[in-house]
Amino acid sequence: MSHEKEMKAVSPLLQQAINISSIAGGIGTLIFCIWAYQAGILQSKETLSEFIQQADVWGPPLFIFLQILQTVVPIIPGALTSVAGIFIYGHVVGTIYNYIGIVIGCAIIFYLVRLYGAPFVQSVVSKRTYDKYIGWLDKGNRFDRFFIFMMIWPVSPADFLCMLAALTKMSFKRYMTIIILTKPFTLVVYTYGLTYIIDIFWQMLSNK
C-alpha cells in the first residue's frame, strides 16, 4: 500500500467522529467532576473508591476498557484515569490495571497508524504537537533512542509518540518490547507524584 493510499484511508467521517468524541469526553469529564464534587464523591479517595466499586466485578474490566479508550482516542485526560486507578484500587492493583489498559491501547494505536498513516495521527493531535516532533522521522536509528527516553520520561506526550513510532520502520515487536519494559517505571513515577500532590490538596480542603 502506497503512502498516498494510506493518506486517503482516513475518511472525513472518522476524523469528525474523533474530534467530536474528544470534545464530548472533555465536557463529560468536567460535568462529572462538578457533579461528583457536589455529591461528596470527591471529598476523599475513600469516597471515590466506594463510589466506583459499586460496579462490583464489572469495575476492573470497565476501568481497563476506559484506560484503553483514552489511550487510543483522547476523550478524557490520561492523567485523570491513571490517578483514579490508584485511588480506587490502591497503588499495586491500580498500577496493574493502568498498565494492562495502556499497553493494550498502545498496541491498538500502533496498528491504527500503520493502517491509516499520518492522516490518522493528524486527526487526533494538534498541528503544533505534530509539527514539533515529526522531524524525528528523518533521524533514522536515533528515533529509537529518542523514543525509549521519552517513554521513560513521565511527562512526555507518550500517546502521540507511540503514533509517531508507527510511522517509522520500527517493528511491532520492538515497539511493544519498549512499551512493556518502560511503562511500569513511567506509571509508578507519574502516578505516585500526582497522587501525592492530590493528597495534599484533599488535606487542605478537609482542614477548611
Side-chain angles (χ1 to χ4, degrees), residues 4 24 46 152 175 190:
E4 286 298 318
E46 288 77 21
I152 295 173
Y175 166 79
Y190 186 65

Side-chain angles (χ1 to χ4, degrees), residues 183-198:
K183 280 300 176 183
F185 172 80
T186 307
L187 272 172
V188 169
V189 173
Y190 186 65
T191 55
Y192 269 69
L194 283 177
T195 52
Y196 177 76
I197 294 172
I198 294 173

Side-chain angles (χ1 to χ4, degrees), residues 151-168:
M151 288 302 100
I152 295 173
W153 190 248
V155 292
S156 68
D159 295 344
F160 168 67
L161 292 173
C162 288
M163 298 179 192
L164 203 63
L167 294 176
T168 70

